[in-house]
Amino acid sequence: MPLDEALLDLHRGFRDERAGISEEFLQPRLGSAGTVAVLSRPLGPARTTGFVICHSFGLEQVKLHRLEVVAARELAAAGFPTLRFFVQGYGDSERRGVAPEVSWHLDATADAVSWMGGGGGGADRVGVLGVRFGALVAAVTADRLGLGMLGLWQPFVSGLAFLSDFRQTALFETMLDEAVDARPAQTPAHGSRPGVRFAEGFGDEGWKDLNGFRLSRRALEDIAAIDMREDLRAFRGRALVTGLSRSGSLPVAVAEVASHLRSIGTACTEVAIRDDSAHMLGQHQFKKLGDGEVERDIFHHGFRAVAAATAQWALGPDPPNESEGAAPEAADAS
Amino acid sequence: MREFPVFVPFEGEHLAAVVTAPPAEARGLVLLSTGLGAPRSHRHQVWALAAERLAARGMASVRFEYPGVHDSTGSAERVTVADLPTREAMEVARFALAATGAGRVVAVGNCWGAQLAVTVAALMDQCVGAVCVLPETVEPGSLDAVVRRAAGRRLIGILRSSASLRRLVRPVRRLTQDTSRALRGDLPQALGRCEVLFLYDSDHLEIGPHAIGKVRAMVDHLPTTQRERFELRILPGRGLARFGSVEVQECLLQTLVSWCEHRLQAPWPIVEDPLVAASALLPGSGETHPEGR
């Protein structure tokens, strides 16, 4: 029997009347090859601002993906079309079994922003969102492309700060210890580069097997080279900085990002969310209860809180110093 | 190869899936299930890579996400491990069979998805084989539960906190463990209709010989025809549990693709029970247990 393409096309998307949204799978070319993306849209009139979500690096992309999904659906329910997608080397993208590069994240995000603001997404204005490493990608993109809205979830002020935390996650600890020497005492002063032993343990192909993930030397170097204090200076739009912590206060690393945004004159909304599992962000999100008969999604509520805060921020009024050409939010609803 | 991301409707929710079709007519379908919490492409894209390689050998595949996980709708706030998403998996398989025109399916899964693969093989007439990567084979037995109740949570906490105490208690706990309910019920039924492959790695030989022994003992008590359909392989390398090295990923992919190819080339149907064989030949035949689990 031949392939039933009509049946497959019919199921590319769904409508959820209860949530007031629709979702559609897309297969755009973002960056160097084709990939899979999901466009979440409101069932009612769409606002003219759309969002693109940037995912994190390595296995964190898998662990934090549900946050992207929950946030995209919340934003769509609030009227904002929102696009999430896989960078090459992740998920259902065309390039598989390869070591992802930072440039792939940045190039694909730039293409996704163009798509969202062009014929595809139809948005007049595009904002970018991202979690952890994805926040660094979003920040660099917003600065380079002069975007008006930037939402950062559990961000780090620099790639080195991200790598230092990334190293500590249980999954990556052992092998990253061999590759990265990012202890605070040896972290280079702002503005200087590496302090990370890149050259060790990488094969001729330029990548090493990091617990099953192909980690390239170039990716490590490029992550370490990102620094918001250098790479996020022109941005003048509206920013959201959201942090999760067990205490309910903004984590120090997150507060540092907010401080930098304010120092460059950005209108920055800070949101701190108390979550007992905050220290597990980016790691396995299911926790066994009792003898293991039941597993609990430890971020079920945390992700929803982040999504709700993001939608509330997106709906908020534009500040007086909004970048030129950006329409006021009040006039945003169509 | 062509890929089609879809949302498969299921009881008011939408299960995110990707159907991969080979360039020519598919010789069969492979249903790729994951452990709880993993995405359809799986860690390090291992299922996406499997789909690519299966398509290169003429096999279609479908990989999917459970309700409340990744792109699927619904909630997974609390998941009871014994409640396998069997009906969801079979709905996805039926959708992909209809879309690709394939007539039969091999169920593949790791961890939670491995138990699911056994159950699908037991219940779905079109299923001609199951590949189970590190299936959970044992569960706490009744004696274990009695001891836990008597000891109380505090003592259990103390036992868990000390590595040397854990080593002392482990043999006692093993004695009280039973073969998991899912396997006790479904593995014999699956072997009644098709071949089943269990895959472990060297790590598991060190930490899980007791669990493997329980399965072997159970299979040894089955009739010869069923026993002969069971195969257990130990893959070289380590880290299969998390697909934790590129080497073990490669080894798994090669084993998986060649085993599925072999199953889908086999004469059809391959069941011995005449009633089961007859039902499998009927067009659009349903499952032996339509309610699933």
Side-chain angles (χ1 to χ4, degrees), chain B residues 94-127:
Chain B
R94 274 193 289 265
F95 175 86
L97 284 167
T100 60
R104 46 193 172 167
V105 59
V106 172
V108 174
N110 78 303
C111 194
W112 206 44
Q115 294 184 52
L116 187 58
V118 172
T119 307
V120 168
L123 299 179
M124 199 166 182
D125 287 345
Q126 296 95 327
C127 192

Side-chain angles (χ1 to χ4, degrees), chain A residues 211-212, chain B residues 42-44 46-47 239-245 248-249 252:
Chain A
N211 292 347
Chain B
H42 221 313
R43 283 168 169 259
H44 316 303
V46 171
W47 275 184
L240 184 60
R242 295 179 183 275
F243 299 159
S245 73
V248 84
Q249 290 166 21
L252 170 65

Side-chain angles (χ1 to χ4, degrees), chain B residues 4-285:
Chain B
F4 301 86
V6 290
F7 286 103
V8 179
F10 180 81
E11 294 184 355
E13 300 298 349
H14 301 275
L15 306 174
V18 174
V19 176
T20 305
E25 193 168 317
R27 67 168 69 162
L29 174 78
V30 176
L31 172 72
L32 297 162
S33 307
T34 67
L36 177 60
R40 56 187 180 268
S41 55
H42 221 313
R43 283 168 169 259
H44 316 303
Q45 299 179 293
V46 171
W47 275 184
L49 282 161
E52 209 171 85
R53 296 195 190 181
L54 288 163
R57 303 275 194 97
M59 291 170 277
S61 66
V62 60
R63 52 189 191 269
F64 71 104
E65 284 153 355
Y66 304 126
V69 175
H70 293 276
D71 287 318
S72 288
T73 63
S75 170
E77 185 179 2
R78 290 170 79 89
V79 178
T80 303
V81 177
D83 293 340
L84 293 172
T86 310
R87 291 185 302 122
E88 290 87 336
M90 293 202 301
E91 187 63 29
V92 168
R94 274 193 289 265
F95 175 86
L97 284 167
T100 60
R104 46 193 172 167
V105 59
V106 172
V108 174
N110 78 303
C111 194
W112 206 44
Q115 294 184 52
L116 187 58
V118 172
T119 307
V120 168
L123 299 179
M124 199 166 182
D125 287 345
Q126 296 95 327
C127 192
V128 297
V131 179
C132 308
V133 184
L134 295 176
E136 292 274 350
T137 54
V138 292
E139 61 190 14
S142 50
L143 179 58
D144 190 276
V146 170
V147 170
R148 279 165 182 277
R149 276 198 296 273
R153 293 178 67 177
R154 189 164 178 175
L155 182 56
I156 296 294
I158 292 168
L159 290 174
R160 276 186 179 159
S161 65
S162 161
S164 49
L165 282 175
R166 280 203 307 273
R167 271 197 297 275
L168 279 173
V169 170
R170 196 175 295 146
V172 181
R173 289 204 65 207
R174 281 179 181 166
L175 278 176
T176 71
Q177 282 176 331
D178 293 330
T179 312
S180 73
R181 271 162 290 184
L183 289 188
R184 280 201 307 269
D186 293 336
L187 183 58
Q189 196 176 338
L191 291 168
R193 68 164 76 246
C194 64
E195 293 189 13
V196 176
L197 172 66
F198 275 25
L199 289 175
Y200 295 94
D201 67 350
S202 309
D203 282 342
H204 216 82
L205 267 190
E206 286 164 22
I207 62 170
H210 165 77
I212 293 173
K214 285 266 186 193
V215 176
R216 282 196 189 280
M218 190 182 82
V219 172
D220 283 346
H221 283 91
L222 294 175
T224 311
T225 48
Q226 281 162 282
R227 206 165 57 229
E228 285 176 347
R229 289 187 183 133
F230 180 75
E231 185 184 357
L232 191 151
R233 282 191 209 172
I234 307 293
L235 295 179
R238 293 175 178 277
L240 184 60
R242 295 179 183 275
F243 299 159
S245 73
V246 172
E247 182 193 7
V248 84
Q249 290 166 21
E250 186 57 39
C251 196
L252 170 65
L253 286 168
Q254 286 179 17
T255 305
L256 171 65
V257 171
S258 64
W259 199 88
C260 289
E261 187 173 33
H262 173 70
R263 290 314 310 142
L264 292 169
Q265 278 173 344
W268 164 264
I270 53 162
V271 286
E272 301 241 329
D273 181 338
L275 290 175
V276 175
S279 71
L281 288 169
L282 293 172
S285 60

Side-chain angles (χ1 to χ4, degrees), chain A residues 1 4-5 11 27 59 62 65-66 73 84 89 91-92 96 209 211-212 214 291 293 295 297 301, chain B residues 2-3 6-7 25 40-41 43-45 48 52 63 70-72 74 77 79 81 99 148 244 246 249:
Chain A
M1 254 171 68
D4 189 344
E5 291 193 43
H11 288 82
Q27 291 174 287
L59 197 55
V62 166
H65 183 244
R66 187 67 181 173
R73 289 174 183 167
R84 57 184 190 269
D92 303 314
R96 296 167 190 177
D209 184 346
N211 292 347
R214 290 166 173 84
D291 280 334
E293 290 99 346
E295 296 209 22
D297 177 358
H301 298 294
Chain B
R2 294 178 67 191
E3 295 207 305
V6 290
F7 286 103
E25 193 168 317
R40 56 187 180 268
S41 55
R43 283 168 169 259
H44 316 303
Q45 299 179 293
E52 209 171 85
R63 52 189 191 269
H70 293 276
D71 287 318
S72 288
E77 185 179 2
V79 178
V81 177
R148 279 165 182 277
V246 172
Q249 290 166 21

Side-chain angles (χ1 to χ4, degrees), chain A residues 86-110:
Chain A
F86 297 115
V87 171
Q88 295 303 318
Y90 297 91
D92 303 314
S93 65
E94 275 181 16
R95 298 186 69 183
R96 296 167 190 177
V98 292
E101 299 294 347
V102 171
S103 61
W104 299 359
H105 282 261
L106 293 169
D107 293 348
T109 304

